[in-house]
Every structure is written in structure tokens, then in C-alpha cells.
Amino acid sequence: MAALEEPKIIKDFITAEEAQFFLCYTQMMHRNNPFASNDKSYEVPNDDTSYYADALTESLLLKKHGFMEKELGIKLFPTYTYWRMYTYGSELKKHTDRNSCEISITLHLGSDGTPWPICFNDQCFELKPGEAAIYKGIEWPHYRKEPYKGDFYSQVFMHYVHADGIHQQYKFDKRPLVGLKK
């Protein structure tokens, strides 16, 4: 695999206008979500909204596929997306991801302006809207040091696997196509 020895920050992964569009979308979905979250894992408290395989973010996964292959110099299979609207008191505990997340992207869409750096191992980054961090999701522990102190913070997580690697069977997260729930 091309050298990805540390997280790689992409300043303009999406434009400021695209980030605002995605932020508006996630805010509306958050406000209209009667279930608060469709993920009942330990990572997502009830006040947050999260969504697996949202059609809009899955479209972005496919749109950025070629860019990611060029950026890393390897052939990739897209796996899935997951977006989350963090709210006051949200936490992201130190963890590594499952096998579908060999190459991961955390893309910041926007927030109320409250800083909340993302950390990989012990290296932390404050992403601006439209900026993304590319990292090895199944190898590098990632987390936020403190609970979120602001009102909202919106992120999209995009995942790929090496097409010729040991996780290639996770193509599309073992779904028939990107965009399906399972």
C-alpha cells in the first residue's frame, strides 16, 4: 500500500459550499429524526443522530473513489459511509474500526464553532469544514479527548478497503451494492 504512515489531512476534500450543503442536510435529518439515532451502539448517545449508508453520503463515497485511489496510489473498493451529528456531551472513545474500514476518512461538515479535535494515536487535528483526515481505521486508535462542549458537530465517515488486500471481501461492506442498508 502507498505510504500512509500517519494521518493525512486534505484541506479541500470538499468545497466550503459542499460542506455547507451536507451540514444543512445533516441538521435537517437530525431535527426530523424521531429515533434520535439508528445506531444503538455504545458510541452513540440518544441525543445524537447517526446514519449508516445514507444515500447522499454513499454518493459522496463513490464520487471520491477515484480521488482516493490517486491520493493513495492503490486500487480501492468502497465499503460504506456513516454520518453522525454529535451534540452536547457526546464522546468518541478511543477505538479501532472493523475490517470494512481499512482506509477511513473523517470529513468535517461544520459545527457551532466549538473546537473538538480528532486524535489518532496521540496526534490531534482540528478540522475545518470541508477538511478530511485519511487514516488506517482498523490499525490506528482514534478518539476525541474530551466530551463535546458545543451544540452540534457534524461528521461523515467514509471507508474503503485495498482491492488487492486481505480485506477485499468487505467490498461494499458485503452488500450487493453501495447505497443499500444490508
Tab-separated table of all heavy atoms in Angstrom, residues 107-152:
chain	number	residue	atom	x	y	z
A	107	LEU	N	-14.594	13.328	7.659
A	107	LEU	CA	-14.824	14.583	6.948
A	107	LEU	C	-15.679	15.487	7.827
A	107	LEU	O	-16.803	15.130	8.182
A	107	LEU	CB	-15.536	14.292	5.621
A	107	LEU	CG	-16.090	15.480	4.847
A	107	LEU	CD1	-14.997	16.459	4.444
A	107	LEU	CD2	-16.866	14.975	3.630
A	108	HIS	N	-15.132	16.646	8.160
A	108	HIS	CA	-15.872	17.594	8.989
A	108	HIS	C	-16.771	18.449	8.108
A	108	HIS	O	-16.314	19.067	7.147
A	108	HIS	CB	-14.901	18.472	9.781
A	108	HIS	CG	-15.575	19.446	10.686
A	108	HIS	ND1	-16.553	19.082	11.577
A	108	HIS	CD2	-15.431	20.776	10.821
A	108	HIS	CE1	-16.976	20.154	12.231
A	108	HIS	NE2	-16.308	21.196	11.786
A	109	LEU	N	-18.062	18.470	8.447
A	109	LEU	CA	-19.028	19.247	7.677
A	109	LEU	C	-19.260	20.628	8.259
A	109	LEU	O	-19.482	21.586	7.524
A	109	LEU	CB	-20.363	18.497	7.614
A	109	LEU	CG	-20.303	17.119	6.976
A	109	LEU	CD1	-21.661	16.444	7.053
A	109	LEU	CD2	-19.796	17.202	5.550
A	110	GLY	N	-19.242	20.725	9.578
A	110	GLY	CA	-19.471	22.007	10.233
A	110	GLY	C	-19.947	21.803	11.650
A	110	GLY	O	-20.276	20.684	12.063
A	111	SER	N	-19.978	22.890	12.392
A	111	SER	CA	-20.376	22.841	13.799
A	111	SER	C	-20.836	24.231	14.226
A	111	SER	O	-20.886	25.152	13.414
A	111	SER	CB	-19.191	22.397	14.664
A	111	SER	OG	-18.204	23.420	14.703
A	112	ASP	N	-21.095	24.365	15.515
A	112	ASP	CA	-21.430	25.683	16.058
A	112	ASP	C	-20.170	26.507	16.324
A	112	ASP	O	-20.249	27.586	16.874
A	112	ASP	CB	-22.265	25.537	17.328
A	112	ASP	CG	-21.510	24.841	18.454
A	112	ASP	OD1	-20.335	24.443	18.266
A	112	ASP	OD2	-22.089	24.686	19.532
A	113	GLY	N	-19.007	25.982	15.956
A	113	GLY	CA	-17.742	26.689	16.140
A	113	GLY	C	-16.937	26.203	17.331
A	113	GLY	O	-15.783	26.605	17.513
A	114	THR	N	-17.514	25.340	18.138
A	114	THR	CA	-16.788	24.796	19.292
A	114	THR	C	-15.720	23.826	18.801
A	114	THR	O	-16.045	22.868	18.101
A	114	THR	CB	-17.762	24.055	20.242
A	114	THR	OG1	-18.805	24.964	20.619
A	114	THR	CG2	-17.047	23.544	21.471
A	115	PRO	N	-14.444	24.058	19.146
A	115	PRO	CA	-13.389	23.146	18.697
A	115	PRO	C	-13.548	21.753	19.316
A	115	PRO	O	-13.980	21.632	20.462
A	115	PRO	CB	-12.097	23.804	19.190
A	115	PRO	CG	-12.464	25.108	19.778
A	115	PRO	CD	-13.949	25.156	19.937
A	116	TRP	N	-13.180	20.730	18.531
A	116	TRP	CA	-13.239	19.356	19.032
A	116	TRP	C	-12.288	18.504	18.198
A	116	TRP	O	-12.704	17.832	17.249
A	116	TRP	CB	-14.666	18.842	18.974
A	116	TRP	CG	-14.965	17.705	19.903
A	116	TRP	CD1	-14.501	17.525	21.164
A	116	TRP	CD2	-15.831	16.605	19.641
A	116	TRP	NE1	-15.019	16.379	21.711
A	116	TRP	CE2	-15.855	15.803	20.789
A	116	TRP	CE3	-16.601	16.232	18.554
A	116	TRP	CZ2	-16.601	14.631	20.879
A	116	TRP	CZ3	-17.351	15.073	18.644
A	116	TRP	CH2	-17.350	14.293	19.795
A	117	PRO	N	-11.001	18.533	18.516
A	117	PRO	CA	-10.005	17.831	17.711
A	117	PRO	C	-10.217	16.320	17.686
A	117	PRO	O	-10.646	15.722	18.669
A	117	PRO	CB	-8.680	18.162	18.399
A	117	PRO	CG	-8.969	19.314	19.294
A	117	PRO	CD	-10.417	19.245	19.637
A	118	ILE	N	-9.904	15.737	16.538
A	118	ILE	CA	-9.885	14.282	16.372
A	118	ILE	C	-8.440	13.831	16.574
A	118	ILE	O	-7.518	14.489	16.086
A	118	ILE	CB	-10.442	13.850	14.989
A	118	ILE	CG1	-10.439	12.325	14.821
A	118	ILE	CG2	-9.676	14.480	13.831
A	118	ILE	CD1	-11.581	11.617	15.439
A	119	CYS	N	-8.262	12.748	17.314
A	119	CYS	CA	-6.922	12.262	17.636
A	119	CYS	C	-6.710	10.867	17.060
A	119	CYS	O	-7.614	10.024	17.099
A	119	CYS	CB	-6.721	12.227	19.146
A	119	CYS	SG	-6.979	13.827	19.950
A	120	PHE	N	-5.504	10.646	16.552
A	120	PHE	CA	-5.076	9.349	16.038
A	120	PHE	C	-3.810	9.002	16.791
A	120	PHE	O	-2.845	9.770	16.738
A	120	PHE	CB	-4.779	9.424	14.540
A	120	PHE	CG	-5.942	9.959	13.752
A	120	PHE	CD1	-6.029	11.299	13.463
A	120	PHE	CD2	-6.948	9.115	13.321
A	120	PHE	CE1	-7.100	11.809	12.741
A	120	PHE	CE2	-8.023	9.616	12.608
A	120	PHE	CZ	-8.095	10.960	12.315
A	121	ASN	N	-3.823	7.862	17.470
A	121	ASN	CA	-2.767	7.556	18.421
A	121	ASN	C	-2.734	8.752	19.379
A	121	ASN	O	-3.704	8.979	20.058
A	121	ASN	CB	-1.449	7.239	17.725
A	121	ASN	CG	-1.555	5.963	16.897
A	121	ASN	OD1	-2.060	4.943	17.372
A	121	ASN	ND2	-1.096	6.025	15.666
A	122	ASP	N	-1.699	9.563	19.383
A	122	ASP	CA	-1.712	10.737	20.247
A	122	ASP	C	-1.495	12.030	19.470
A	122	ASP	O	-1.119	13.044	20.029
A	122	ASP	CB	-0.674	10.585	21.368
A	122	ASP	CG	-1.105	9.535	22.375
A	122	ASP	OD1	-2.300	9.510	22.730
A	122	ASP	OD2	-0.268	8.725	22.785
A	123	GLN	N	-1.780	11.992	18.183
A	123	GLN	CA	-1.657	13.159	17.322
A	123	GLN	C	-3.061	13.701	17.054
A	123	GLN	O	-3.915	12.978	16.538
A	123	GLN	CB	-0.960	12.742	16.020
A	123	GLN	CG	-0.531	13.860	15.154
A	123	GLN	CD	0.244	13.351	13.938
A	123	GLN	OE1	0.275	12.173	13.642
A	123	GLN	NE2	0.845	14.272	13.219
A	124	CYS	N	-3.312	14.964	17.409
A	124	CYS	CA	-4.663	15.529	17.298
A	124	CYS	C	-4.720	16.622	16.232
A	124	CYS	O	-3.755	17.359	16.030
A	124	CYS	CB	-5.104	16.100	18.646
A	124	CYS	SG	-5.173	14.852	19.948
A	125	PHE	N	-5.892	16.716	15.577
A	125	PHE	CA	-6.115	17.672	14.497
A	125	PHE	C	-7.475	18.337	14.676
A	125	PHE	O	-8.461	17.662	14.949
A	125	PHE	CB	-6.109	16.973	13.134
A	125	PHE	CG	-4.845	16.226	12.833
A	125	PHE	CD1	-4.720	14.897	13.188
A	125	PHE	CD2	-3.785	16.864	12.216
A	125	PHE	CE1	-3.554	14.193	12.921
A	125	PHE	CE2	-2.609	16.172	11.943
A	125	PHE	CZ	-2.499	14.844	12.296
A	126	GLU	N	-7.517	19.640	14.471
A	126	GLU	CA	-8.783	20.379	14.456
A	126	GLU	C	-9.137	20.597	12.992
A	126	GLU	O	-8.479	21.382	12.307
A	126	GLU	CB	-8.637	21.712	15.190
A	126	GLU	CG	-9.908	22.523	15.233
A	126	GLU	CD	-11.036	21.843	15.992
A	126	GLU	OE1	-10.777	21.285	17.076
A	126	GLU	OE2	-12.173	21.863	15.485
A	127	LEU	N	-10.134	19.900	12.511
A	127	LEU	CA	-10.530	20.007	11.109
A	127	LEU	C	-11.509	21.158	10.921
A	127	LEU	O	-12.403	21.376	11.739
A	127	LEU	CB	-11.182	18.704	10.643
A	127	LEU	CG	-10.310	17.452	10.689
A	127	LEU	CD1	-11.132	16.219	10.313
A	127	LEU	CD2	-9.099	17.594	9.784
A	128	LYS	N	-11.347	21.866	9.820
A	128	LYS	CA	-12.287	22.913	9.429
A	128	LYS	C	-13.334	22.284	8.501
A	128	LYS	O	-13.099	21.223	7.932
A	128	LYS	CB	-11.538	24.028	8.699
A	128	LYS	CG	-10.568	24.777	9.579
A	128	LYS	CD	-9.899	25.897	8.810
A	128	LYS	CE	-9.025	26.722	9.714
A	128	LYS	NZ	-7.652	26.234	9.785
A	129	PRO	N	-14.492	22.935	8.327
A	129	PRO	CA	-15.490	22.388	7.405
A	129	PRO	C	-14.899	22.150	6.017
A	129	PRO	O	-14.189	23.005	5.476
A	129	PRO	CB	-16.565	23.478	7.378
A	129	PRO	CG	-16.465	24.120	8.730
A	129	PRO	CD	-14.980	24.135	9.020
A	130	GLY	N	-15.144	20.964	5.488
A	130	GLY	CA	-14.612	20.573	4.181
A	130	GLY	C	-13.283	19.860	4.249
A	130	GLY	O	-12.834	19.289	3.262
A	131	GLU	N	-12.625	19.893	5.404
A	131	GLU	CA	-11.346	19.194	5.573
A	131	GLU	C	-11.584	17.762	6.022
A	131	GLU	O	-12.555	17.467	6.723
A	131	GLU	CB	-10.459	19.903	6.595
A	131	GLU	CG	-9.963	21.234	6.119
A	131	GLU	CD	-9.028	21.918	7.100
A	131	GLU	OE1	-8.915	21.485	8.267
A	131	GLU	OE2	-8.407	22.908	6.686
A	132	ALA	N	-10.662	16.897	5.618
A	132	ALA	CA	-10.778	15.484	5.950
A	132	ALA	C	-9.446	14.941	6.422
A	132	ALA	O	-8.386	15.415	6.017
A	132	ALA	CB	-11.248	14.693	4.727
A	133	ALA	N	-9.526	13.936	7.261
A	133	ALA	CA	-8.345	13.176	7.675
A	133	ALA	C	-8.498	11.775	7.105
A	133	ALA	O	-9.545	11.142	7.262
A	133	ALA	CB	-8.244	13.122	9.195
A	134	ILE	N	-7.455	11.312	6.429
A	134	ILE	CA	-7.409	9.941	5.906
A	134	ILE	C	-6.510	9.156	6.847
A	134	ILE	O	-5.415	9.613	7.191
A	134	ILE	CB	-6.841	9.902	4.474
A	134	ILE	CG1	-7.668	10.790	3.545
A	134	ILE	CG2	-6.788	8.466	3.962
A	134	ILE	CD1	-7.053	10.979	2.160
A	135	TYR	N	-6.959	7.980	7.255
A	135	TYR	CA	-6.203	7.192	8.230
A	135	TYR	C	-6.524	5.707	8.091
A	135	TYR	O	-7.479	5.334	7.403
A	135	TYR	CB	-6.503	7.679	9.654
A	135	TYR	CG	-7.960	7.630	10.032
A	135	TYR	CD1	-8.474	6.592	10.806
A	135	TYR	CD2	-8.836	8.632	9.607
A	135	TYR	CE1	-9.820	6.546	11.139
A	135	TYR	CE2	-10.182	8.601	9.952
A	135	TYR	CZ	-10.660	7.555	10.703
A	135	TYR	OH	-11.994	7.506	11.026
A	136	LYS	N	-5.726	4.889	8.735
A	136	LYS	CA	-5.935	3.438	8.755
A	136	LYS	C	-6.864	3.111	9.926
A	136	LYS	O	-6.429	2.977	11.061
A	136	LYS	CB	-4.607	2.709	8.884
A	136	LYS	CG	-3.691	2.897	7.689
A	136	LYS	CD	-2.380	2.160	7.901
A	136	LYS	CE	-1.457	2.351	6.719
A	136	LYS	NZ	-0.156	1.663	6.934
A	137	GLY	N	-8.151	2.992	9.610
A	137	GLY	CA	-9.175	2.849	10.639
A	137	GLY	C	-9.071	1.595	11.486
A	137	GLY	O	-9.436	1.609	12.654
A	138	ILE	N	-8.586	0.503	10.902
A	138	ILE	CA	-8.513	-0.742	11.674
A	138	ILE	C	-7.190	-0.885	12.418
A	138	ILE	O	-7.061	-1.769	13.251
A	138	ILE	CB	-8.778	-1.995	10.803
A	138	ILE	CG1	-7.756	-2.133	9.676
A	138	ILE	CG2	-10.190	-1.956	10.252
A	138	ILE	CD1	-7.924	-3.388	8.835
A	139	GLU	N	-6.249	0.003	12.130
A	139	GLU	CA	-4.939	-0.082	12.788
A	139	GLU	C	-4.701	1.019	13.811
A	139	GLU	O	-4.098	0.771	14.844
A	139	GLU	CB	-3.815	-0.001	11.742
A	139	GLU	CG	-3.708	-1.206	10.854
A	139	GLU	CD	-2.545	-1.090	9.893
A	139	GLU	OE1	-1.499	-0.487	10.250
A	139	GLU	OE2	-2.684	-1.584	8.753
A	140	TRP	N	-5.143	2.230	13.510
A	140	TRP	CA	-4.802	3.365	14.348
A	140	TRP	C	-5.944	3.718	15.292
A	140	TRP	O	-7.039	4.084	14.847
A	140	TRP	CB	-4.464	4.583	13.510
A	140	TRP	CG	-3.283	4.398	12.608
A	140	TRP	CD1	-2.321	3.428	12.697
A	140	TRP	CD2	-2.945	5.186	11.472
A	140	TRP	NE1	-1.405	3.578	11.681
A	140	TRP	CE2	-1.775	4.657	10.911
A	140	TRP	CE3	-3.534	6.292	10.876
A	140	TRP	CZ2	-1.165	5.192	9.793
A	140	TRP	CZ3	-2.929	6.828	9.755
A	140	TRP	CH2	-1.759	6.290	9.234
A	141	PRO	N	-5.705	3.657	16.584
A	141	PRO	CA	-6.734	4.108	17.524
A	141	PRO	C	-7.068	5.580	17.256
A	141	PRO	O	-6.181	6.386	16.998
A	141	PRO	CB	-6.070	3.948	18.892
A	141	PRO	CG	-4.978	2.955	18.678
A	141	PRO	CD	-4.510	3.165	17.267
A	142	HIS	N	-8.354	5.902	17.308
A	142	HIS	CA	-8.799	7.281	17.095
A	142	HIS	C	-9.899	7.596	18.093
A	142	HIS	O	-10.631	6.715	18.527
A	142	HIS	CB	-9.239	7.528	15.652
A	142	HIS	CG	-10.078	6.469	15.048
A	142	HIS	ND1	-9.562	5.253	14.622
A	142	HIS	CD2	-11.394	6.415	14.802
A	142	HIS	CE1	-10.539	4.519	14.140
A	142	HIS	NE2	-11.664	5.195	14.242
A	143	TYR	N	-9.981	8.898	18.443
A	143	TYR	CA	-10.845	9.301	19.545
A	143	TYR	C	-10.881	10.818	19.661
A	143	TYR	O	-10.148	11.525	18.976
A	143	TYR	CB	-10.334	8.705	20.865
A	143	TYR	CG	-8.908	9.114	21.177
A	143	TYR	CD1	-8.650	10.162	22.042
A	143	TYR	CD2	-7.825	8.463	20.573
A	143	TYR	CE1	-7.347	10.561	22.313
A	143	TYR	CE2	-6.528	8.857	20.837
A	143	TYR	CZ	-6.290	9.901	21.701
A	143	TYR	OH	-5.005	10.303	21.952
A	144	ARG	N	-11.731	11.298	20.553
A	144	ARG	CA	-11.753	12.701	20.971
A	144	ARG	C	-11.395	12.691	22.454
A	144	ARG	O	-11.910	11.870	23.211
A	144	ARG	CB	-13.141	13.312	20.789
A	144	ARG	CG	-13.753	13.106	19.415
A	144	ARG	CD	-13.252	14.081	18.401
A	144	ARG	NE	-13.900	13.849	17.115
A	144	ARG	CZ	-13.960	14.741	16.159
A	144	ARG	NH1	-13.425	15.934	16.318
A	144	ARG	NH2	-14.548	14.461	15.021
A	145	LYS	N	-10.517	13.590	22.868
A	145	LYS	CA	-10.023	13.577	24.255
A	145	LYS	C	-11.094	13.901	25.286
A	145	LYS	O	-11.091	13.359	26.377
A	145	LYS	CB	-8.850	14.545	24.418
A	145	LYS	CG	-7.574	14.034	23.804
A	145	LYS	CD	-6.425	14.964	24.117
A	145	LYS	CE	-5.132	14.399	23.569
A	145	LYS	NZ	-3.992	15.268	23.856
A	146	GLU	N	-11.987	14.817	24.950
A	146	GLU	CA	-12.994	15.301	25.903
A	146	GLU	C	-14.381	15.164	25.298
A	146	GLU	O	-14.537	15.183	24.083
A	146	GLU	CB	-12.738	16.783	26.220
A	146	GLU	CG	-11.375	17.085	26.792
A	146	GLU	CD	-11.203	16.569	28.210
A	146	GLU	OE1	-12.213	16.502	28.938
A	146	GLU	OE2	-10.065	16.231	28.581
A	147	PRO	N	-15.411	15.100	26.131
A	147	PRO	CA	-16.779	15.170	25.607
A	147	PRO	C	-16.988	16.510	24.893
A	147	PRO	O	-16.367	17.515	25.234
A	147	PRO	CB	-17.658	15.075	26.856
A	147	PRO	CG	-16.802	14.401	27.877
A	147	PRO	CD	-15.394	14.858	27.588
A	148	TYR	N	-17.890	16.511	23.924
A	148	TYR	CA	-18.166	17.715	23.158
A	148	TYR	C	-18.896	18.737	24.018
A	148	TYR	O	-19.868	18.414	24.692
A	148	TYR	CB	-18.981	17.380	21.910
A	148	TYR	CG	-19.176	18.557	20.992
A	148	TYR	CD1	-18.083	19.251	20.479
A	148	TYR	CD2	-20.440	18.993	20.651
A	148	TYR	CE1	-18.247	20.338	19.649
A	148	TYR	CE2	-20.622	20.085	19.810
A	148	TYR	CZ	-19.514	20.750	19.312
A	148	TYR	OH	-19.681	21.831	18.495
A	149	LYS	N	-18.433	19.980	23.989
A	149	LYS	CA	-18.993	21.048	24.824
A	149	LYS	C	-19.949	21.967	24.062
A	149	LYS	O	-20.560	22.845	24.652
A	149	LYS	CB	-17.865	21.902	25.408
A	149	LYS	CG	-16.847	21.121	26.217
A	149	LYS	CD	-17.336	20.854	27.615
A	149	LYS	CE	-16.245	20.370	28.527
A	149	LYS	NZ	-16.098	18.943	28.606
A	150	GLY	N	-20.064	21.765	22.758
A	150	GLY	CA	-20.915	22.639	21.960
A	150	GLY	C	-22.299	22.063	21.722
A	150	GLY	O	-22.698	21.071	22.340
A	151	ASP	N	-23.011	22.690	20.804
A	151	ASP	CA	-24.383	22.297	20.490
A	151	ASP	C	-24.439	21.218	19.407
A	151	ASP	O	-25.192	20.257	19.523
A	151	ASP	CB	-25.169	23.538	20.048
A	151	ASP	CG	-26.624	23.253	19.794
A	151	ASP	OD1	-27.230	22.480	20.561
A	151	ASP	OD2	-27.169	23.795	18.810
A	152	PHE	N	-23.650	21.383	18.319
A	152	PHE	CA	-23.665	20.380	17.246
A	152	PHE	C	-22.332	20.343	16.516
A	152	PHE	O	-21.628	21.340	16.415
A	152	PHE	CB	-24.811	20.650	16.254
A	152	PHE	CG	-24.606	21.901	15.432
A	152	PHE	CD1	-23.990	21.841	14.195
A	152	PHE	CD2	-25.047	23.138	15.902
A	152	PHE	CE1	-23.800	22.993	13.440
A	152	PHE	CE2	-24.862	24.295	15.156
A	152	PHE	CZ	-24.236	24.219	13.917
